[in-house]
Amino acid sequence: VQLQASGGGLVQAGGSLRLSCAASGRSFSSYSMAWFRQAPEKEREFVAAVSWSGGIYYADSVKGRFTISRDNAEKTVSLQMNSLKPEDTAVYYCAANRYSTRWYAGDMDYWGKGTLVTVSS
């Protein structure tokens, strides 16, 4: 599976952005998809995930503000980010693992190149 993230940019605090991740390869519906982010000088952290069976998971820091969704026909996963805060500034990565509900970075099998999100105060 190859992953390509897009949609990052510069936004003011309180604004919104929508990230997309396009996957290539077979059996997309069998992959659990997740978003991670990494701020400067910080470790990569889990943001949100949608499992292969449709389960939805969020980090506490984004609950109520971010929404993850997937479209198996289009082989895409999206992250709608609302009420953005300066602390959401990071490079966002999409990742995949097959038939899994483990959301540690080390458990993900495939990674896309990141897309930068910058939230100004």
Side-chain angles (χ1 to χ4, degrees), residues 37 45-49 56-68 79-85 88 92 103:
R37 66 187 181 187
E45 65 175 3
F46 170 76
V47 175
I56 302 288
Y57 307 83
Y58 295 104
D60 288 343
S61 59
V62 307
K63 279 181 182 176
R65 300 189 298 122
F66 291 11
T67 302
I68 191 170
L79 185 69
Q80 177 66 41
M81 305 186 295
N82 298 329
S83 302
L84 282 161
K85 304 175 181 180
D88 294 317
Y92 284 70
W103 312 123

Side-chain angles (χ1 to χ4, degrees), residues 8-73:
L10 174 64
V11 63
Q12 288 188 332
S16 299
L17 279 176
R18 185 176 182 87
L19 305 183
S20 293
C21 178
S24 61
R26 301 173 65 179
S27 304
F28 176 77
S29 61
S30 68
Y31 285 89
S32 295
M33 303 298 296
W35 289 94
F36 289 77
R37 66 187 181 187
Q38 188 165 18
E41 301 183 356
K42 291 190 176 181
E43 293 188 355
R44 193 168 297 189
E45 65 175 3
F46 170 76
V47 175
V50 53
S51 74
W52 62 277
S53 60
I56 302 288
Y57 307 83
Y58 295 104
D60 288 343
S61 59
V62 307
K63 279 181 182 176
R65 300 189 298 122
F66 291 11
T67 302
I68 191 170
S69 60
R70 67 185 295 158
D71 185 331
N72 287 339

